[in-house]
């Protein structure tokens, strides 16, 4: 996959993760994209190490999308555990 494919995959995976786990997280479009890109790496790493299933390098493969979205969800959950739920008023 090329860099543009990673950015598109990251953007869409980050948006889906934020839809599945709503809250007022900082970052906007850039933060969502970075969450999705890093989440895709985390999801791929977890898939290989924990599930012993390699992720194909094809952007149209379902397992690539599932790993990217799952990795993005893991990052959002870790963020909220470390910094608290941002839906609370301060």
């Amino acid at each position: 996959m090329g860099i543009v494919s990673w950015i598109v995959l990251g953007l869409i995976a980050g948006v889906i993760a934020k839809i599945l786990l709503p809250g007022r997280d900082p970052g906007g479009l850039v933060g969502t994209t970075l969450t999705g890109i890093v989440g895709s790496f985390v999801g791929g790493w977890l898939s290989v190490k924990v599930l012993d299933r390699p992720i194909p390098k094809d952007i149209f493969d379902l397992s690539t999308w599932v790993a990217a979205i799952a990795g993005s969800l893991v990052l959002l959950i870790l963020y909220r555990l470390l910094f608290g739920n941002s839906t609370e008023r301060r």
Side-chain angles (χ1 to χ4, degrees), residues 15-37:
V15 168
I16 292 172
K18 283 195 174 188
I19 288 171
L20 293 174
L21 196 64
R24 294 183 49 183
D25 298 311
L29 183 63
V30 174
T32 300
T33 303
L34 290 175
T35 299
I37 292 170

Side-chain angles (χ1 to χ4, degrees), residues 6-63:
W6 279 108
I7 292 171
V8 170
L9 174 68
L11 175 63
I12 296 171
V15 168
I16 292 172
K18 283 195 174 188
I19 288 171
L20 293 174
L21 196 64
R24 294 183 49 183
D25 298 311
L29 183 63
V30 174
T32 300
T33 303
L34 290 175
T35 299
I37 292 170
V38 175
S40 66
F41 285 109
V42 169
W45 181 81
L46 287 173
S47 177
V48 169
K49 295 297 181 184
V50 175
L51 300 176
D52 198 27
R53 291 196 61 181
I55 296 295
K57 295 186 181 347
D58 183 20
I59 192 168
F60 298 110
D61 193 273
L62 181 63
S63 61

Side-chain angles (χ1 to χ4, degrees), residues 63-79:
S63 61
T64 302
W65 287 94
V66 170
I69 294 167
S72 299
L73 285 170
V74 167
L75 287 179
L76 285 175
I77 291 169
L78 285 175
Y79 174 82

